[in-house]
Coordinates of all heavy atoms in Angstrom, one line a residue:
M1047 N 109.2 82.2 68.8 CA 109.2 83.5 69.5 C 107.9 84.2 69.2 O 107.9 85.4 69.5 CB 110.4 84.3 69.0 CG 111.7 83.9 69.5 SD 111.5 84.1 71.3 CE 113.0 83.5 71.9
E1048 N 106.9 83.6 68.8 CA 105.6 84.2 68.6 C 105.0 84.7 69.9 O 104.1 85.6 69.9 CB 104.7 83.2 67.8 CG 103.4 84.0 67.4 CD 102.6 83.2 66.5 OE1 103.2 82.4 65.7 OE2 101.3 83.2 66.6
I1049 N 105.3 84.1 71.0 CA 104.7 84.5 72.2 C 105.1 85.9 72.6 O 104.3 86.6 73.2 CB 105.1 83.5 73.4 CG1 104.3 83.8 74.6 CG2 106.6 83.7 73.7 CD1 104.3 82.7 75.6
L1050 N 106.3 86.4 72.2 CA 106.7 87.7 72.5 C 105.9 88.8 71.7 O 105.8 89.9 72.1 CB 108.2 87.9 72.2 CG 109.1 87.1 73.0 CD1 110.5 87.3 72.6 CD2 108.9 87.5 74.5
N1051 N 105.3 88.3 70.6 CA 104.4 89.3 69.8 C 102.9 89.2 70.3 O 102.1 89.9 69.7 CB 104.5 88.8 68.3 CG 105.8 89.0 67.7 OD1 106.5 89.9 68.2 ND2 106.2 88.2 66.8
S1052 N 102.6 88.4 71.3 CA 101.3 88.3 71.8 C 101.0 89.4 72.8 O 101.7 89.6 73.8 CB 101.1 86.9 72.4 OG 99.9 86.9 73.0
A1053 N 99.9 90.1 72.6 CA 99.5 91.1 73.6 C 99.1 90.5 74.9 O 99.4 91.1 75.9 CB 98.3 91.9 73.0
E1054 N 98.6 89.3 74.9 CA 98.2 88.7 76.2 C 99.4 88.4 77.0 O 99.4 88.6 78.3 CB 97.4 87.3 75.9 CG 96.1 87.5 75.3 CD 96.1 87.6 73.8 OE1 97.2 87.4 73.2 OE2 95.1 87.9 73.2
F1055 N 100.5 88.0 76.4 CA 101.8 87.8 77.1 C 102.2 89.0 77.8 O 102.6 88.9 79.1 CB 102.8 87.3 76.2 CG 104.2 87.2 76.9 CD1 104.5 86.1 77.8 CD2 105.2 88.2 76.6 CE1 105.8 86.1 78.3 CE2 106.5 88.1 77.2 CZ 106.7 87.0 78.0
W1056 N 102.2 90.1 77.2 CA 102.7 91.4 77.8 C 101.7 91.9 78.8 O 102.1 92.5 79.8 CB 103.0 92.4 76.7 CG 104.1 92.0 75.9 CD1 104.1 91.6 74.6 CD2 105.5 91.8 76.3 NE1 105.4 91.2 74.1 CE2 106.2 91.4 75.2 CE3 106.1 92.1 77.5 CZ2 107.6 91.2 75.3 CZ3 107.5 91.9 77.6 CH2 108.2 91.4 76.5
I1057 N 100.5 91.6 78.7 CA 99.5 92.0 79.8 C 99.8 91.2 81.0 O 99.7 91.8 82.1 CB 98.1 91.8 79.3 CG1 97.7 92.8 78.1 CG2 97.0 91.8 80.3 CD1 96.5 92.5 77.5
V1058 N 100.0 89.9 80.9 CA 100.4 89.1 82.0 C 101.7 89.5 82.6 O 101.7 89.6 83.9 CB 100.5 87.6 81.6 CG1 101.0 86.7 82.7 CG2 99.0 87.1 81.2
V1059 N 102.7 89.9 81.9 CA 103.9 90.4 82.4 C 103.8 91.7 83.2 O 104.2 91.8 84.3 CB 105.0 90.5 81.4 CG1 106.2 91.2 81.9 CG2 105.4 89.2 80.8
A1060 N 102.9 92.6 82.7 CA 102.7 93.8 83.3 C 101.9 93.6 84.6 O 102.2 94.3 85.6 CB 101.9 94.8 82.4
A1061 N 100.9 92.7 84.5 CA 100.1 92.5 85.7 C 101.0 91.8 86.8 O 100.8 92.2 88.0 CB 98.9 91.5 85.4
A1062 N 101.8 90.9 86.5 CA 102.7 90.3 87.4 C 103.6 91.3 88.1 O 103.9 91.3 89.2 CB 103.5 89.1 86.8
S1063 N 104.2 92.2 87.2 CA 105.0 93.3 87.7 C 104.3 94.2 88.7 O 104.8 94.5 89.8 CB 105.5 94.2 86.6 OG 106.3 95.1 87.1
E1064 N 103.0 94.5 88.4 CA 102.3 95.4 89.3 C 101.9 94.7 90.7 O 102.0 95.2 91.7 CB 100.9 95.8 88.7 CG 101.1 96.8 87.5 CD 101.8 98.1 88.0 OE1 101.4 98.6 89.1 OE2 102.7 98.6 87.3
I1065 N 101.6 93.4 90.6 CA 101.4 92.6 91.8 C 102.6 92.5 92.7 O 102.5 92.7 93.9 CB 100.9 91.1 91.4 CG1 99.4 91.3 90.8 CG2 100.9 90.3 92.6 CD1 98.9 90.1 90.2
I1066 N 103.8 92.3 92.0 CA 105.0 92.3 92.8 C 105.3 93.6 93.4 O 105.7 93.7 94.6 CB 106.2 91.8 91.9 CG1 106.1 90.3 91.5 CG2 107.5 92.0 92.6 CD1 106.9 89.9 90.4
A1067 N 105.0 94.7 92.7 CA 105.2 96.0 93.3 C 104.4 96.3 94.5 O 104.8 97.0 95.4 CB 105.1 97.1 92.1
L1068 N 103.1 95.7 94.6 CA 102.3 96.0 95.6 C 102.6 95.0 96.7 O 102.0 95.2 97.9 CB 100.8 95.7 95.1 CG 100.4 96.9 94.1 CD1 99.0 96.5 93.6 CD2 100.4 98.2 94.7
S1069 N 103.3 94.0 96.5 CA 103.5 93.0 97.7 C 104.4 93.6 98.7 O 105.2 94.6 98.4 CB 104.2 91.7 97.0 OG 105.5 92.0 96.7
P1070 N 104.4 93.1 99.9 CA 105.2 93.5 101.0 C 106.6 93.2 100.9 O 107.5 93.6 101.7 CB 104.5 92.9 102.3 CG 104.0 91.6 101.7 CD 103.5 92.0 100.3
L1071 N 107.0 92.5 99.9 CA 108.5 92.1 99.6 C 109.3 93.3 99.2 O 108.7 94.2 98.6 CB 108.5 91.0 98.5 CG 107.8 89.7 98.8 CD1 107.9 88.8 97.5 CD2 108.4 89.0 100.0
K1072 N 110.5 93.3 99.5 CA 111.4 94.4 99.2 C 111.8 94.3 97.7 O 112.2 95.3 97.2 CB 112.6 94.3 100.0 CG 112.4 94.5 101.5 CD 111.8 95.8 101.8 CE 111.6 95.9 103.3 NZ 110.5 96.8 103.7
D1073 N 111.6 93.2 97.1 CA 111.9 93.0 95.6 C 110.9 93.7 94.8 O 109.7 93.6 95.0 CB 112.0 91.6 95.3 CG 113.0 90.8 96.1 OD1 114.0 91.3 96.4 OD2 112.7 89.7 96.4
N1074 N 111.3 94.6 93.8 CA 110.4 95.3 93.1 C 110.4 95.0 91.6 O 109.9 95.8 90.8 CB 110.6 96.9 93.3 CG 111.9 97.3 92.8 OD1 112.8 96.4 92.4 ND2 112.2 98.5 92.9
S1075 N 110.9 93.9 91.2 CA 110.9 93.4 89.8 C 110.9 91.9 89.8 O 111.2 91.2 90.8 CB 112.0 94.0 89.0 OG 113.3 93.3 89.4
I1076 N 110.5 91.4 88.7 CA 110.4 90.0 88.5 C 111.8 89.3 88.6 O 112.0 88.3 89.3 CB 109.8 89.6 87.2 CG1 108.3 90.1 87.2 CG2 109.9 88.1 86.8 CD1 107.6 90.0 85.8
V1077 N 112.8 90.0 88.1 CA 114.2 89.5 88.1 C 114.6 89.4 89.6 O 115.2 88.5 90.0 CB 115.1 90.3 87.2 CG1 116.5 89.9 87.4 CG2 114.6 90.2 85.7
Q1078 N 114.5 90.5 90.3 CA 114.9 90.6 91.7 C 114.2 89.5 92.5 O 114.8 88.8 93.4 CB 114.7 91.9 92.3 CG 115.6 93.0 91.9 CD 115.3 94.3 92.5 OE1 114.2 94.6 92.9 NE2 116.3 95.1 92.6
L1079 N 112.9 89.3 92.2 CA 112.2 88.2 93.0 C 112.7 86.9 92.7 O 112.9 86.1 93.6 CB 110.7 88.3 92.7 CG 109.7 87.4 93.4 CD1 109.8 87.7 94.9 CD2 108.3 87.5 92.9
V1080 N 113.0 86.6 91.4 CA 113.5 85.3 91.1 C 114.9 85.1 91.7 O 115.2 84.0 92.3 CB 113.6 85.1 89.5 CG1 114.4 83.9 89.2 CG2 112.1 85.1 89.0
L1081 N 115.8 86.1 91.7 CA 117.1 86.0 92.3 C 117.0 85.8 93.8 O 117.8 85.0 94.4 CB 117.9 87.2 91.9 CG 118.4 87.3 90.4 CD1 119.1 88.7 90.2 CD2 119.2 86.1 90.0
H1082 N 116.0 86.5 94.4 CA 115.8 86.4 95.9 C 115.4 84.9 96.2 O 115.9 84.3 97.2 CB 114.7 87.3 96.4 CG 114.5 87.2 97.8 ND1 115.3 87.7 98.7 CD2 113.4 86.7 98.5 CE1 114.8 87.5 99.9 NE2 113.7 86.9 99.8
V1083 N 114.5 84.4 95.4 CA 114.0 83.0 95.7 C 115.1 82.0 95.5 O 115.3 81.1 96.3 CB 112.8 82.6 94.7 CG1 112.5 81.1 94.7 CG2 111.6 83.5 95.1
L1084 N 116.0 82.2 94.5 CA 117.1 81.3 94.2 C 118.1 81.4 95.3 O 118.7 80.4 95.7 CB 117.7 81.6 92.8 CG 116.8 81.2 91.6 CD1 117.5 81.7 90.3 CD2 116.6 79.7 91.6
D1085 N 118.3 82.6 95.7 CA 119.3 82.8 96.8 C 118.8 82.1 98.1 O 119.6 81.5 98.8 CB 119.6 84.3 97.0 CG 120.7 84.6 98.0 OD1 121.7 83.8 97.9 OD2 120.6 85.5 98.8
S1086 N 117.6 82.3 98.4 CA 116.9 81.7 99.6 C 117.1 80.1 99.4 O 117.4 79.5 100.5 CB 115.5 82.0 99.7 OG 115.4 83.4 100.0
L1087 N 116.8 79.5 98.3 CA 116.9 78.1 98.2 C 118.3 77.6 98.3 O 118.6 76.6 98.9 CB 116.3 77.6 96.8 CG 114.7 77.8 96.6 CD1 114.4 77.5 95.2 CD2 114.0 76.9 97.6
K1088 N 119.2 78.4 97.8 CA 120.6 78.1 97.8 C 121.1 78.1 99.2 O 121.8 77.2 99.7 CB 121.5 79.0 97.0 CG 122.9 78.8 96.9 CD 123.7 79.8 96.1 CE 125.1 79.6 96.2 NZ 125.8 80.7 95.4
G1089 N 120.7 79.1 100.1 CA 121.0 79.2 101.4 C 120.5 78.0 102.2 O 121.2 77.5 103.2
K1090 N 119.3 77.6 101.9 CA 118.7 76.5 102.7 C 119.5 75.2 102.5 O 119.5 74.4 103.4 CB 117.2 76.4 102.4 CG 116.4 77.5 103.0 CD 114.9 77.4 102.7 CE 114.2 78.5 103.3 NZ 112.7 78.4 102.9
R1091 N 119.9 75.0 101.4 CA 120.6 73.7 100.9 C 122.0 73.7 101.6 O 122.4 72.6 101.9 CB 120.7 73.6 99.4 CG 119.5 73.1 98.8 CD 119.8 72.8 97.4 NE 118.9 73.6 96.5 CZ 119.2 73.8 95.3 NH1 120.2 73.4 94.7 NH2 118.3 74.6 94.6
L1092 N 122.6 74.9 101.8 CA 123.9 74.8 102.3 C 123.9 74.6 103.9 O 124.8 74.3 104.5 CB 124.6 76.2 102.0 CG 125.0 76.3 100.5 CD1 125.6 77.8 100.4 CD2 125.9 75.3 100.1
K1093 N 122.8 74.9 104.5 CA 122.7 74.8 106.0 C 122.4 73.4 106.4 O 121.9 72.6 105.9 CB 121.6 75.7 106.5 CG 122.0 77.2 106.3 CD 120.9 78.1 106.8 CE 121.3 79.5 106.6 NZ 120.3 80.4 107.2

Protein backbone atom coordinates (compact mmCIF):
# COMPACT_ATOMS: atom_id res chain seq x y z
CA MET A 1 0.00 0.00 0.00
CA GLU A 2 2.97 2.27 -0.37
CA ILE A 3 1.56 3.62 -3.63
CA LEU A 4 -1.20 5.39 -1.66
CA ASN A 5 1.47 7.30 0.25
CA SER A 6 3.11 8.49 -2.95
CA ALA A 7 2.57 12.11 -3.94
CA GLU A 8 2.97 11.19 -7.61
CA PHE A 9 0.03 8.78 -7.41
CA TRP A 10 -2.28 11.46 -6.05
CA ILE A 11 -1.09 13.98 -8.64
CA VAL A 12 -1.98 11.50 -11.41
CA VAL A 13 -5.39 10.82 -9.83
CA ALA A 14 -6.11 14.55 -9.56
CA ALA A 15 -4.98 15.16 -13.14
CA ALA A 16 -7.16 12.32 -14.43
CA SER A 17 -10.10 13.72 -12.51
CA GLU A 18 -9.59 17.17 -14.04
CA ILE A 19 -9.27 15.74 -17.56
CA ILE A 20 -12.49 13.78 -17.09
CA ALA A 21 -14.24 16.91 -15.80
CA LEU A 22 -13.21 18.81 -18.93
CA SER A 23 -14.24 16.06 -21.32
CA PRO A 24 -17.53 16.27 -23.20
CA LEU A 25 -18.73 13.12 -21.45
CA LYS A 26 -21.53 13.45 -18.95
CA ASP A 27 -19.58 11.41 -16.40
CA ASN A 28 -17.80 13.66 -13.94
CA SER A 29 -15.79 11.19 -11.89
CA ILE A 30 -13.49 8.27 -12.45
CA VAL A 31 -15.99 5.87 -10.86
CA GLN A 32 -18.85 7.06 -13.07
CA LEU A 33 -16.67 6.80 -16.16
CA VAL A 34 -15.63 3.23 -15.30
CA LEU A 35 -19.23 2.23 -14.59
CA HIS A 36 -20.36 3.81 -17.88
CA VAL A 37 -17.70 1.90 -19.84
CA LEU A 38 -18.62 -1.37 -18.12
CA ASP A 39 -22.30 -0.77 -18.80
CA SER A 40 -21.57 -0.03 -22.45
CA LEU A 41 -19.52 -3.20 -22.81
CA LYS A 42 -22.18 -5.25 -21.07
CA GLY A 43 -24.87 -3.84 -23.36
CA LYS A 44 -22.87 -4.62 -26.49
CA ARG A 45 -22.35 -8.25 -25.45
CA LEU A 46 -26.05 -8.77 -24.86
CA LYS A 47 -27.07 -7.50 -28.30
